[in-house]
């Protein structure tokens, strides 16, 4: 049997040696190349039942996504509340700035989160980010001036941005190989769930007298922040980080609990050995100059970086957050009169997005990433352009064009559903797949920064765009989605079921192959080849 072993996708059609364990685990080794793969149980949603503790930890960590989504959902209601508008008479630009300053803070938080996570720990960084988020939320809740409100938005944004980086990272390190995709998709589900909670919390308090109508929903968001900060104290540390710091025995104990297996389980020992390999590679690369930020923009990696940055760019310019932040205003622009009806219709957009995310759990690993992106981009572009045409047709006399106004609402719902199964979840997955191991964390950080920067721009300019031309706003978003289709068709590779070395071949670069050579050497030092022989021959 060869001395080096590399991961192989489970759906490989090549001849292989399989080892099935009584507890449901599977190990597959290719006898010629030495490639291997394993799983602790069934893949996808069924596999979640095999690692219940890891699922619980991931579900709890996903509260970070709820904080992000809640703010998106609640702000659209608050901006149109009578007391809020009376206390803070904002211009369209100031309204955009109030929304966008949070994204600017989040941009900073996302970039800093990766540094803190490695320097201290995942848990400590999540706790710190949660505290920062709570402080920002408190400033917003008690604000008596626009300046304090802006400060609270900025501070809260730092916490939200950090959590958007830290929580998916923590989840990915808690999850078993066969459930990692489903659990990372949980991030998008949690964000949308938070959007729904935030919107309807504001909707239910909008009729209260005085400032309580908007202070209560702003104060409610402190609750998940406190729960996350306190509860994280009882979450297990990342086993990968423990191995990286030389705490192998503690990492083994944590891994046994996460996988619900004992110390003698061969797959637990194999996963721990892989963590040791990763730690050796990180140590080797950290002492050299092969993992610098600027390498992401060199000729070997620029295409991968543009995929990570691009998918986040098009996620934001699809227009989803324009609807979340300014949904009631946009609903009024298509002829829905009355605060209640425009708010309700906007709220159902959030529910539609929540429902649409659910099929993504099943489609991402069956249909693939690229088909979902192409299909979603086409439907989103069609929906936006249809709404723009309807506005041009009926905006002069909406009372006599009630039917087409409701058609426009249907188009917005169609857009939301298309987004929920395409750019919504895929944008959080691609950046973790396309980069080689040595630069994966930095590549993900740059991609996340692209998300927040473009989120900032959308929040800043949407009120002014809608004020100048509602139809032009939808035409612009439709054009952006059409560009997203072309980009998905020509630039994005299909990464479903593709191993690391195969992904490198997709980009025809040498950096990924260099990583593979380092991995082979590290596997030899850790003893993975002999461990595989012992497992398959026993």
């Amino acid at each position: 049997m060869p001395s080096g072993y590399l991961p192989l996708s489970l759906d490989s059609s090549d001849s292989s040696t399989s080892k099935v364990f009584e507890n449901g685990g599977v190990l597959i080794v290719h006898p010629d190349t030495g490639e291997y793969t394993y799983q602790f149980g069934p893949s996808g949603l069924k596999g979640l039942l095999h690692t219940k503790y890891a699922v619980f930890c991931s579900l709890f960590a996903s509260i970070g996504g709820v904080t992000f989504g809640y703010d998106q959902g609640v702000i659209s209601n608050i901006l149109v509340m009578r007391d809020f508008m009376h206390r803070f008479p904002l211009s369209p630009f100031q309204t955009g700035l109030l929304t966008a300053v949070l994204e600017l803070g989040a941009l900073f938080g996302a970039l800093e989160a990766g540094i803190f996570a490695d320097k201290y720990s995942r848990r400590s960084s999540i706790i710190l980010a949660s505290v920062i988020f709570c402080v920002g939320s408190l400033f917003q809740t008690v604000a008596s001036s626009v300046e304090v409100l802006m400060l609270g938005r900025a501070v809260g944004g730092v916490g939200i941005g950090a959590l958007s980086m830290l929580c998916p990272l923590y989840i990915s390190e808690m999850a078993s190989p066969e459930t990692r995709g489903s659990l990372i998709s949980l991030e998008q589900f949690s964000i949308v769930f938070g959007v729904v909670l935030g919107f309807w919390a504001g909707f239910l308090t909008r009729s209260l007298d005085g400032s309580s109508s908007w202070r209560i929903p702003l104060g409610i968001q402190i609750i998940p922040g406190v729960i996350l900060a306190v509860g994280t104290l009882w979450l297990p540390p990342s086993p990968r980080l423990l191995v990286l710091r030389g705490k192998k025995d503690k990492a083994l104990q944590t891994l046994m609990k996460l996988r619900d297996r004992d110390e003698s389980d061969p797959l637990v020992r194999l996963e721990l050995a892989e963590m040791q390999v990763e730690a050796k590679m990180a140590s080797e690369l950290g002492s050299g100059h092969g993992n610098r930020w600027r390498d992401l923009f060199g000729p070997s990696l620029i295409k991968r970086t543009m995929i990570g940055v691009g998918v986040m760019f098009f996620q934001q310019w699809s227009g989803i957050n324009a609807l979340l932040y300014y949904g009631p205003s946009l609903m009024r622009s298509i002829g829905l009169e009355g605060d209640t009806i425009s708010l309700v219709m906007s709220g159902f957009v959030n529910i539609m997005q929540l429902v649409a995310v659910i099929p993504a759990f099943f489609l991402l690993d069956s249909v693939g990433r690229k088909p979902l992106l192409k299909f979603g981009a086409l439907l989103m572009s069609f929906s936006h352009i249809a709404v723009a045409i309807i506005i041009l047709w009926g905006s002069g006399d909406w009372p006599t064009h009630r039917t087409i106004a409701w058609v426009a609402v249907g188009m917005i719902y169609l857009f939301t559903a298309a987004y929920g199964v395409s750019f919504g979840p895929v944008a959080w997955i691609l950046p973790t797949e396309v980069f080689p191991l040595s630069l994966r964390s930095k590549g993900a950080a740059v991609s996340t920064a692209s998300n927040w920067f473009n989120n900032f721009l959308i929040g800043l300019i949407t009120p002014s765009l809608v004020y100048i031309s509602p139809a032009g706003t939808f035409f612009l978003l439709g054009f952006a989605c059409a560009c997203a289709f072309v980009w998905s068709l020509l630039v994005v590779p299909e990464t479903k079921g593709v191993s690391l070395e195969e992904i490198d071949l997709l980009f025809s670069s040498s950096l990924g192959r260099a990583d593979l050579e380092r991995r082979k050497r590290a596997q030899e030092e850790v003893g993975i080849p002999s461990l595989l022989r012992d497992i398959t021959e026993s």
Side-chain angles (χ1 to χ4, degrees), residues 206-217:
R206 77 193 190 285
S207 59
L208 296 178
D209 295 330
S211 63
S212 58
S213 60
W214 55 272
R215 294 190 193 274
I216 289 176

Side-chain angles (χ1 to χ4, degrees), residues 317-319 373-389 411 414-416 418-419 422-423 473-486:
W317 283 92
S318 69
L373 288 178
K374 293 190 296 183
F375 178 74
L378 277 179
L379 277 185
M380 291 189 297
S381 181
F382 169 77
S383 302
H384 282 316
I385 293 174
V387 172
I389 293 173
M411 290 295 102
L414 178 62
F415 156 79
T416 307
Y419 171 86
S422 59
F423 277 85
T473 302
F474 281 100
F475 272 125
L476 175 63
L477 297 176
F479 175 73
C481 291
C483 292
F485 170 78
V486 176

